[in-house]
Amino acid sequence: MHQKRLIQSEIDTLNNILTHINDELENLNRSERKVAEVILADPQTATRSTIAVLAKASQVSEPTVNRFCKKFNTAGFPDFKLHLAQALARGVPYVNRNVEPEDTSDSYTPKIFDATISSLAYAKEKLSPAVINQAVDQLIQAKQILFYGLGASGPVAQDAQHKFFRFNIPVTAYDDVLMQRMAAAACGTGDVVVVISYTGRTKELVDIAALARKSGACVIGITASASPLAKHCSVVLGVEAPEDTDVYMPMTSRIVHLAVIDVLATGVTLRRGPGFLSHLKKIKDSLKDTRYQTEPATRQN
Amino acid sequence: MHQKRLIQSEIDTLNNILTHINDELENLNRSERKVAEVILADPQTATRSTIAVLAKASQVSEPTVNRFCKKFNTAGFPDFKLHLAQALARGVPYVNRNVEPEDTSDSYTPKIFDATISSLAYAKEKLSPAVINQAVDQLIQAKQILFYGLGASGPVAQDAQHKFFRFNIPVTAYDDVLMQRMAAAACGTGDVVVVISYTGRTKELVDIAALARKSGACVIGITASASPLAKHCSVVLGVEAPEDTDVYMPMTSRIVHLAVIDVLATGVTLRRGPGFLSHLKKIKDSLKDTRYQTEPATRQN
DNA sequence: ATTTTTATGTAAGTAAATTACATTTCTGTT
DNA sequence: AACAGAAATGTAATTTACTTACATAAAAAT
């Protein structure tokens, strides 16, 4: 409970002077609150306003706006606008990030993209390159790699398999618990099991991770760092998605996981050295005959 | 070829005034180039400079700086700084977005996230909510939904199935051409086939889309808008990923596709009305017993 | 060589932001 | 309830920043 709140507020701080304003609303003077409300109502416009316009809109004097800006650790109005613009550029709606029942395709389309983007931005900050490196260390020397995911993470595991087969290492993705358990029991030193789970709380999967570990495999978790699953992993790639984003179905979480897979695949590719690129090219080129070529007969649209 | 260039430069404008400046360096006047160089050398500082300071640093007059700004489609110097600040906030490196052989985990990790984020930002701008709406129109009244994907799009189709089964419509994902072809042949009015393909040039899949269409199905394409596949679709959700991002394996493209799936699923959910949320909740809650609860014994990490 | 176009700078004017100071409003005390 | 002190807000002046109009210089074309 408390943990979740903490994460949320970290996201806020990380991203956003807007959330900061929102949080401080209580502690502001009457006039300053007017300013805050006008800004929060339409921050995009605020970034393009002059101090005079904003003062008028808030029905306060210009110096009040200026004082307001300084309260938020900015040098003055122009600097404040700069911070505001940067917060907005991150694409994070500071309130109402969630889709509402009244939304139309005009409004929910950008909201979903924004939520996805902001999860990625958050994960980018939080993921430690050092830990990525550890994971790559393990993957590069694996005799065999297994990707495990259940539910929405099933396709993520499949996707990972689709990437890693290129490395000439035996790779399998399992999305059912029986196969996962059997394969985990059969593991030995040199095998790497990558367990993908958003919550890290699925009992079966926690069990299976423990089992794989006991069998001598290296277990890499792509999961929430403070989860039961994480405790059983040799390497934890911690990704906590903000609360409330995935209301009733997994959305942003699995996309972040895919991005992590991309990072790992890239890491392995680079370790393999420049000669390996031609190998990848060969695989890509193998598809050539199955495709229509780009040049001809594509004048339209 | 030309098409690609166009898309690339659009991305630049959208994402990143810095890349835009970098690309246009050649086409600038001598004085304006001086300004460009000073800005590129330290864009962060530029956002906090006044026009006078920047003019002096570039050894040109203030109006030259002003004219420079206007060349990049900004209203003037303050507006230019705003764009610059936003570009920087996105954290997208304006040159060398691509992973280089020399990169370490410190550098390739953020690069991959940035590339993913910027593809999403681009898709967000380009996707038309009206077309989304058309697709949702079709999906909401479908007797049956089929998701087709090959290769890297296979897992995307699986993921879509995993989302759409919640809507109480028969949903199937196929990732092999034989099943796809047979199912397409068996389609009739009221069936919706969602074909997912990054390039839109896989011959088999283009064939299959045409077949499904001929059978009376509505074909929704999540693919490049100017592709052979797009020509056979009833509704095209056009997503062109920037060139060079997915060098030797599909990376950002499939993530954008997943985001599109999320948007569609959200659209369908909203159409179903508020009562439907409790149905979704029921599905989510069904997992409760398979999970460790959040509260207890999670003090560490 | 001359005209035309393009590039750049100067200087003036306008707009924006900040500061100093005056006034009002609130708070707590007698 | 009246008053002193403090805090909040506004007014007006000042400073700073930005833009425009125009002039000059450089380059390109005839």
Side-chain angles (χ1 to χ4, degrees):
Chain A
M1 207 88 230
H2 177 256
Q3 179 70 10
K4 283 184 188 171
R5 271 269 117 251
L6 193 80
I7 291 168
Q8 187 61 47
S9 82
E10 277 175 33
I11 294 176
D12 295 348
T13 323
L14 190 147
N15 277 325
N16 218 326
I17 193 172
L18 274 167
T19 341
H20 191 187
I21 296 172
N22 202 46
D23 291 350
E24 291 296 310
L25 259 183
E26 313 299 308
N27 313 328
L28 292 174
N29 300 327
R30 200 158 31 81
S31 308
E32 288 173 347
R33 190 166 320 151
K34 286 190 214 165
V35 179
E37 276 157 7
V38 171
I39 291 171
L40 289 174
D42 187 356
Q44 193 66 56
T45 299
T47 60
R48 283 186 250 98
S49 305
T50 68
I51 196 169
V53 169
L54 189 60
K56 195 159 187 192
S58 318
Q59 304 196 290
V60 300
S61 68
E62 299 185 20
T64 299
V65 176
N66 193 265
R67 281 187 283 260
F68 170 88
C69 296
K70 288 182 174 170
K71 276 209 178 158
F72 289 94
N73 302 316
T74 61
F77 185 68
D79 188 41
F80 177 84
K81 282 197 294 190
L82 217 75
H83 281 260
L84 204 57
Q86 296 193 322
L88 288 170
R90 295 225 167 80
V92 187
Y94 60 101
V95 272
N96 290 340
R97 304 172 245 255
N98 296 321
V99 174
E100 309 285 343
E102 307 76 40
D103 278 333
T104 66
S105 61
D106 292 314
S107 52
Y108 67 70
T109 304
K111 274 187 183 179
I112 289 180
F113 276 94
D114 287 342
T116 308
I117 288 171
S118 99
S119 294
L120 285 167
Y122 182 62
K124 174 186 157 195
E125 295 301 322
K126 286 287 156 183
L127 254 191
S128 140
V131 178
I132 291 282
N133 224 16
Q134 283 173 36
V136 172
D137 284 341
Q138 298 296 332
L139 290 167
I140 197 89
Q141 56 175 32
K143 284 204 290 241
Q144 183 195 193
I145 304 176
L146 305 178
F147 288 99
Y148 285 10
L150 293 174
S153 301
V156 177
Q158 298 287 346
D159 184 87
Q161 177 187 17
H162 188 271
K163 283 218 156 44
F164 277 78
F165 91 91
R166 293 155 209 256
F167 300 128
N168 278 332
I169 309 170
V171 191
T172 320
Y174 289 118
D175 59 6
D176 84 290
V177 285
L178 291 183
M179 288 305 300
Q180 286 171 355
R181 188 176 286 275
M182 287 191 290
C187 275
T189 314
D191 293 339
V192 176
V193 179
V194 182
V195 183
I196 305 161
S197 167
Y198 172 42
T199 60
R201 316 196 154 276
T202 308
K203 292 174 187 170
E204 284 272 17
L205 211 51
V206 176
D207 268 17
I208 289 167
L211 178 58
R213 192 76 182 281
K214 218 176 76 189
S215 308
C218 164
V219 176
I220 299 177
I222 303 182
T223 189
S225 19
S227 66
L229 175 57
K231 294 205 181 73
H232 295 283
C233 295
S234 324
V235 182
V236 179
L237 299 167
V239 179
E240 17 281 307
E243 218 191 334
D244 286 341
T245 310
D246 297 6
V247 202
Y248 289 126
M249 14 181 150
M251 304 241 268
T252 60
S253 54
R254 72 203 199 302
I255 289 187
V256 174
H257 290 170
L258 283 172
V260 173
I261 300 284
D262 288 348
V263 173
L264 294 177
T266 303
V268 173
T269 305
L270 292 180
R271 289 282 187 87
R272 285 293 177 88
F276 190 64
L277 288 174
S278 64
H279 171 73
L280 291 180
K281 186 161 178 350
K282 214 160 31 179
I283 294 175
K284 192 184 186 186
D285 290 347
S286 75
L287 293 174
K288 212 173 246 168
D289 291 343
T290 70
R291 296 211 170 125
Y292 291 112
Q293 286 314 293
T294 319
E295 318 311 317
T298 312
R299 76 201 64 179
Q300 191 238 352
N301 231 6
Chain B
M1 209 83 232
H2 177 255
Q3 177 73 9
K4 284 183 189 172
R5 271 268 116 249
L6 193 80
I7 291 170
Q8 188 60 48
S9 82
E10 279 175 31
I11 293 177
D12 293 348
T13 322
L14 190 146
N15 273 329
N16 215 322
I17 197 166
L18 275 167
T19 337
H20 193 186
I21 296 171
N22 200 50
D23 291 350
E24 292 295 312
L25 259 183
E26 314 299 309
N27 312 328
L28 292 174
N29 302 325
R30 199 156 32 82
S31 308
E32 288 173 346
R33 191 167 320 151
K34 285 189 213 164
V35 179
E37 277 158 6
V38 171
I39 292 171
L40 289 175
D42 187 355
Q44 193 66 57
T45 299
T47 60
R48 283 185 251 99
S49 304
T50 69
I51 196 169
V53 169
L54 189 59
K56 193 157 186 196
S58 318
Q59 303 197 289
V60 299
S61 67
E62 299 185 19
T64 299
V65 175
N66 194 263
R67 282 186 284 260
F68 171 87
C69 296
K70 288 183 175 169
K71 276 211 177 156
F72 290 95
N73 302 317
T74 61
F77 186 68
D79 188 42
F80 176 85
K81 281 196 294 188
L82 217 76
H83 281 260
L84 204 57
Q86 296 191 322
L88 288 171
R90 291 219 171 82
V92 184
Y94 58 100
V95 276
N96 291 338
R97 300 173 254 253
N98 296 323
V99 175
E100 310 284 341
E102 306 76 38
D103 278 333
T104 66
S105 60
D106 291 314
S107 52
Y108 66 71
T109 304
K111 274 187 183 179
I112 289 182
F113 275 94
D114 288 339
T116 308
I117 288 171
S118 93
S119 294
L120 284 167
Y122 182 61
K124 174 187 156 192
E125 295 303 321
K126 284 288 157 180
L127 255 190
S128 141
V131 178
I132 291 281
N133 224 17
Q134 283 173 38
V136 172
D137 284 342
Q138 298 296 332
L139 290 168
I140 197 90
Q141 56 175 30
K143 283 204 291 240
Q144 184 196 190
I145 304 177
L146 306 177
F147 288 99
Y148 285 10
L150 293 174
S153 301
V156 177
Q158 298 288 347
D159 184 88
Q161 177 187 17
H162 187 270
K163 283 221 158 41
F164 277 78
F165 93 91
R166 292 154 209 259
F167 300 127
N168 278 331
I169 309 169
V171 192
T172 319
Y174 289 118
D175 59 5
D176 83 294
V177 285
L178 291 183
M179 287 306 299
Q180 287 170 355
R181 187 176 286 276
M182 288 191 288
C187 276
T189 315
D191 293 340
V192 175
V193 178
V194 182
V195 183
I196 305 161
S197 166
Y198 171 42
T199 60
R201 313 194 156 277
T202 309
K203 291 174 186 169
E204 284 273 16
L205 211 51
V206 175
D207 267 19
I208 288 167
L211 178 59
R213 192 79 181 281
K214 219 176 77 189
S215 308
C218 164
V219 176
I220 299 176
I222 303 182
T223 190
S225 21
S227 66
L229 175 57
K231 294 206 179 71
H232 294 284
C233 295
S234 324
V235 182
V236 178
L237 299 168
V239 180
E240 17 280 309
E243 215 191 338
D244 285 344
T245 309
D246 298 6
V247 201
Y248 289 124
M249 16 180 149
M251 304 243 267
T252 62
S253 54
R254 73 206 200 298
I255 288 186
V256 174
H257 290 170
L258 282 173
V260 174
I261 300 284
D262 288 348
V263 173
L264 293 177
T266 303
V268 173
T269 305
L270 292 179
R271 288 282 186 87
R272 284 294 176 87
F276 190 64
L277 288 175
S278 64
H279 171 74
L280 290 181
K281 188 164 176 350
K282 218 163 22 183
I283 294 175
K284 192 184 184 186
D285 290 347
S286 74
L287 292 174
K288 212 173 248 169
D289 291 343
T290 70
R291 295 209 171 127
Y292 292 111
Q293 287 314 293
T294 319
E295 320 310 317
T298 312
R299 78 201 60 178
Q300 191 239 353
N301 233 8

